[in-house]
Structures are given as structure tokens and as C-alpha cells.
């Protein structure tokens, strides 16, 4: 049976779609001695579950705790929302060309943040520019029509001077856009999201002995990128 995997790689220092780039891959050791942890696949709700919003909703940026294989629960930053009786953390947003996205960011962090819709063609006011960073306890409203063709996009924090650290701590997820061509291709190949079409979130992380995420870049990291020493696939080490 054919399977397609949609990849989202999150590099901490720069919000780009590739995790391993340039010299960094060859100058840092990434430990992966075993692959014996069951890969986490999103369910109907919870972390990275697929949400096709059919009404206005709110994404709450906050700190939470998630289980990571081989560790106690680990503190992460995430976007949390509720819809139709389900609760989601960092939901994979599923939209269609022509849909209108109506979402409010509710900043419940202890520092400023904002959301950028990476790859989408949107008006400047809702693009998530760092000048629109909102303070703790404040909200920011987004409303725009999705004009992009079908494809794999993503959304992430874009806070001034905080983007890399907040993304490393978890503030990012997929945004999938469908259109007629995309749906025809899926039908021809027999692909079904979550079964034979698997979103995989690839992240390089660094944990301390307590299992907490560590983001402490030196001057070289700030120029070239901060590479963690452990690779997570859908939050699963050694998957």
C-alpha cells in the first residue's frame, strides 16, 4: 500500500522547513543509537491532532506538559484549542483553498508572542510580523481567506527576539491546504490523512538531566543555527 509522509522539520534558530542544513549536520553529533520507541501518531484529539475548523476558534499559547518516551512529563509550549467537544495541542490545521480562517491568539505565556502563517499569502496585518507581538494576557485576531493552492504549510511563533527559543520549546505545527488537484491526487493514490498519509514532525532537541528543554545558543549557534543532540519524530525519541 502506498504511503506518503508530510514532513515538518523545525530548526530552532531559524524558522525554516529543513531541520538539518549546511555544515551543522557534519559538525554536531546527533545521538540515535536505538530505534525502539513506538512512533506517536495523532488521534482524534490531543497533540498534533487534525482540526478542520468549521467556526471561529481561539489558539491559547501557554506552557503545558507532555509525555516523552523514556522521561517523565516534559514542559512544552503549545497552542491549545477546543472544538466540538475535543481539546487539541498544536493542532494540525486542515483547510481548503477559498476557506476563511477566523482565529484569535490568546497569549497566556509570561512573555510576548505572535503567530506567523508560514507560506500563506495573507495581508500584512495578519502575517504575524514581529511588530505585532502581543504582551502576556493580550489577544490578536486573524481573519483571512486562504488563497494558496493545496500544499503543506505551517504556523509558528514569530515574536521579536524570541522566535527561535519559543519554536524550540514547541510553538509550531502543520497547516495543510487542500484543493481540487490535491484531492484528485489523493483519490488516485488511495491516500487518507492519518492512515496512509502521515504527518511527521521532525525536531532536534536538547534536554537537561531533568528532562526539560534547553535552548542556550552560543554566538556561533546564533549565526549558523542551534542543533539539538536528540531527534524527535512526533515527539518520540529513537522512534
Amino acid at each position: 500500500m502506498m504511503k506518503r509522509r508530510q514532513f515538518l522539520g523545525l530548526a530552532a534558530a531559524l524558522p525554516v522547513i529543513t531541520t538539518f542544513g549546511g555544515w551543522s549536520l557534519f559538525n554536531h553529533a546527533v545521538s540515535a543509537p536505538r530505534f525502539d520507541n513506538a512512533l506517536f501518531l495523532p488521534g482524534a484529539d490531543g497533540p498534533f491532532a487534525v482540526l478542520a475548523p468549521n467556526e471561529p476558534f481561539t489558539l491559547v499559547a501557554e506552557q503545558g506538559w507532555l509525555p516523552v518516551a523514556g522521561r517523565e512529563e516534559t514542559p512544552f509550549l503549545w497552542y491549545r484549542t477546543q472544538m466540538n467537544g475535543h481539546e487539541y495541542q498544536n493542532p494540525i490545521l486542515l483547510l481548503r483553498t477559498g476557506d476563511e480562517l477566523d482565529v484569535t491568539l490568546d497569549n497566556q505565556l509570561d512573555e510576548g508572542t505572535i503567530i506567523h502563517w508560514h507560506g500563506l499569502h495573507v495581508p500584512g496585518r495578519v502575517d504575524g510580523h514581529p511588530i505585532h507581538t502581543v504582551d502576556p494576557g493580550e489577544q490578536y485576531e486573524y481573519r483571512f481567506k486562504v488563497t494558496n493552492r493545496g500544499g503543506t504549510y505551517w504556523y509558528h511563533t514569530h515574536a521579536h527576539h524570541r522566535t527561535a527559543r519559543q519554536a524550540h520549546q514547541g510553538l509550531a505545527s502543520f497547516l495543510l491546504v487542500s484543493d481540487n488537484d490535491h484531492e484528485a491526487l489523493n483519490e488516485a493514490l488511495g491516500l487518507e490523512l492519518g492512515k496512509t498519509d502521515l504527518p511527521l514532525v521532525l525536531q532536534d532537541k536538547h534536554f537537561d538531566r531533568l528532562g526539560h528543554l534547553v535552548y542556550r545558543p552560543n554566538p556561533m549557534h546564533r549565526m549558523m543555527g542551534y542543533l539539538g543532540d536528540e531527534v524527535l519524530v512526533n515527539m518520540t525519541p529513537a522512534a
Side-chain angles (χ1 to χ4, degrees):
M1 179 179 294
M2 180 175 291
K3 289 191 178 184
R4 181 181 67 175
R5 295 169 174 84
Q6 302 184 69
F7 292 95
L8 171 58
L10 303 183
L14 292 173
V16 294
I17 286 293
T18 177
T19 303
F20 306 114
W23 67 273
S24 296
L25 179 61
F26 303 102
N27 286 273
H28 292 77
V30 177
S31 62
R34 297 173 61 100
F35 298 94
D36 52 6
N37 292 320
L39 175 67
F40 170 77
L41 293 177
D45 53 16
F48 296 110
V50 175
L51 171 61
N54 54 15
E55 60 186 39
F57 66 104
T58 298
L59 288 172
V60 181
E62 63 182 11
Q63 180 178 302
W65 297 78
L66 291 173
V68 174
R71 292 185 171 86
E72 300 293 334
E73 285 197 326
T74 299
F76 280 89
L77 302 184
W78 63 35
Y79 298 111
R80 177 180 55 82
T81 192
Q82 294 179 328
M83 186 173 290
N84 300 324
H86 295 280
E87 183 165 299
Y88 304 80
Q89 296 87 34
N90 281 0
I92 296 173
L93 298 180
L94 180 60
L95 300 166
R96 201 177 191 284
T97 303
D99 283 353
E100 184 171 90
L101 185 66
D102 189 339
V103 58
T104 299
L105 168 65
D106 181 3
N107 182 14
Q108 293 301 314
L109 303 174
D110 58 4
E111 60 184 8
T113 195
I114 197 70
I115 296 176
H116 172 60
W117 312 97
H118 199 111
L120 295 191
H121 305 306
V122 298
R125 196 201 72 81
V126 293
D127 189 46
H129 193 282
I131 62 172
H132 295 136
T133 296
V134 295
D135 292 329
E138 294 187 355
Q139 296 184 337
Y140 197 86
E141 295 182 357
Y142 301 86
R143 179 178 293 175
F144 58 86
K145 179 172 287 190
V146 177
T147 61
N148 290 66
R149 64 177 300 179
T152 300
Y153 307 90
W154 59 303
Y155 65 100
H156 60 82
T157 175
H158 216 228
H160 189 49
H161 290 313
R162 302 187 180 105
T163 296
R165 177 172 50 80
Q166 289 185 356
H168 182 261
Q169 292 177 311
L171 288 183
S173 188
F174 279 106
L175 191 154
L176 307 180
V177 177
S178 182
D179 60 11
N180 290 339
D181 291 339
H182 189 262
E183 292 168 357
L185 178 64
N186 285 351
E187 183 176 357
L189 298 179
L191 297 177
E192 184 177 351
L193 185 61
K195 293 184 178 180
T196 52
D197 181 1
L198 305 177
L200 301 177
V201 180
L202 310 182
Q203 299 169 301
D204 58 279
K205 301 292 188 185
H206 183 67
F207 295 90
D208 64 17
R209 288 179 297 177
L210 298 176
H212 294 182
L213 290 169
V214 176
Y215 181 72
R216 297 194 188 100
N218 60 34
M220 183 61 74
H221 292 151
R222 293 185 184 278
M223 290 189 296
M224 303 300 295
Y226 181 80
L227 185 67
D229 58 3
E230 192 164 1
V231 174
L232 274 62
V233 182
N234 290 3
M235 303 179 300
T236 309

